[in-house]
Amino acid sequence: MTTDTSPTTGTGATTASPGRTPIVKVVFASLIGTAVEWYDFFLYGSAAALVFGTLFFPESEPATATLLAFGTYALGFVARPLGGVVFGHFGDKVGRKKMLVFSLFLMGVATFAIGLLPTYASIGVAAPLLLLACRLVQGSAVGGEWGGAVLMAAEHGDDSQRGFWSSWPQAGVALGNLFATGVLWVLAAVQSDTAFESWGWRVPFLLSAVLVAVGLWVRLSIEESPVFADAKAELETKESAHLPLVEVFRKYPREVFVAMGMRMAENISYYLFTVISISFLTLYAGTADDKSLILKALLIGSVVHFVTIPLVGALSDRVGRRPLYLAGAVGVAAWSWVFFDLIASRSEGRIILAICVGLVLHALMYSPQAAFFSELFGTSVRYTGASVGYQLASIFAGALAPIIAIDLLGKASDGTENVGRVAIYMTIASVITVVAVLFAKETRATSLRHDRVLGD
């Protein structure tokens, strides 16, 4: 393993060499692009909980229609590993930057198209099929986005502050959810339910075109990762073919499964505290007619989440990735046992408290995750390895979480009687994550200019 000899400032921030993009600009490009992509992705989840069941599956009763809407939502997660593999392969061969630009463009096209879709009332069964097609494109795009965004930040920054710098793309996820929830909240506040379901829900999807244009402009202005550029130069001198996916499973099978296990509690808890909470409030807690209350709580939670993530990232550079990750996994399991009781209280303050505390606990895992996963894999396969481990887990975690949770809650008029089942589900996921973290070595401050980390 070699040591990164890039010059640093007294504060640890990497000094930009001639022709090299400053770390702050790289981080901003990763943040804004990720925020735009996840604005699009989360917008779908919120719309699935609020209106898609009624508009695209009107012949089913409300709980079943919501499940069907979440079925299309889940299939977006199924497409994410495919996107991770394809974008990771080319990201490890031709560069991180090109794949980031293309993934953002692809996401923008799919999201804008959703805003133009006719509903079931207009074209029948073709409507949910077209919705599904757009969702699959969204899933593929976001599957390729995450790995590239965090690697651009991680590979431009220096070793001692990697947790902080690479946490900003993670904060972009919270920012994207903030954008999506904020737009929906404004629309719900100024429109009647009839107007919102008729045309208002389309507005945030169409607005994504503006955000995508901004994101593309910023991303096109940055340089390629210097760590990747060096690795590419070395790979070009070798005669054998470079097949990142094959190399990942040949050299790093343990790291892939560790990353997948670490994702379980993190991914499930996030959708528990956001998307599932919307459905619970709408279907069971008697707030179906007050969408603005639901969205206001999520809006405040997203702000808290956004602020917390970089703070936890900086802390991970001091105390390590593992202690924070373990604390988060245990914390979300414990909080899940009181979360729904707070939500069911119908008290605005308690609902906000439930979501904010849940997202802070989630940040203990999500913030150091970017640096942690980047440090598990060698440079020549890092995009593919991090993406595959991250996105494969999303099938079993985020994709199924809303469906399993709604099913566990049941179809009773008062779902609070079944909330213990969801808490057990969350606890099992947390146990898996704790075990995975215990199998991972602490990687804080290791160099990214290497072929292996674990098992050196």
Side-chain angles (χ1 to χ4, degrees), residues 5 10 47 52 57-58 76 107 110 172 209 262 280 287 289 292 301 308 328 333 348-349 351 396 422:
T5 57
F52 279 177
F57 306 96
M107 175 64 86
M262 290 171 66
F280 181 79
T287 57
D289 295 329
S292 62
T308 303
E348 179 177 316
I351 291 172
F396 306 101
V422 182

Side-chain angles (χ1 to χ4, degrees), residues 310-336:
L311 295 177
V312 174
L315 184 60
S316 76
D317 287 323
R318 293 180 175 272
V319 304
R321 323 296 189 210
R322 294 173 81 240
L324 296 176
Y325 217 108
L326 288 170
V330 174
V332 295
W335 192 244
S336 68

Side-chain angles (χ1 to χ4, degrees), residues 45-65:
S46 298
L50 292 172
V51 297
F52 279 177
T54 302
L55 296 176
F56 291 92
F57 306 96
E59 297 185 355
S60 302
E61 57 92 19
T64 301

Side-chain angles (χ1 to χ4, degrees), residues 6 29 40 60 108 132 158 190 231 235 280 296 308 311 332 339 357 370 373 377 402 448:
S6 300
D40 294 347
S60 302
L132 173 60
D158 75 290
V190 302
L235 287 171
F280 181 79
K296 179 181 178 181
T308 303
L311 295 177
V332 295
F339 178 76
V357 172
F373 286 15
F377 301 93
L448 290 185

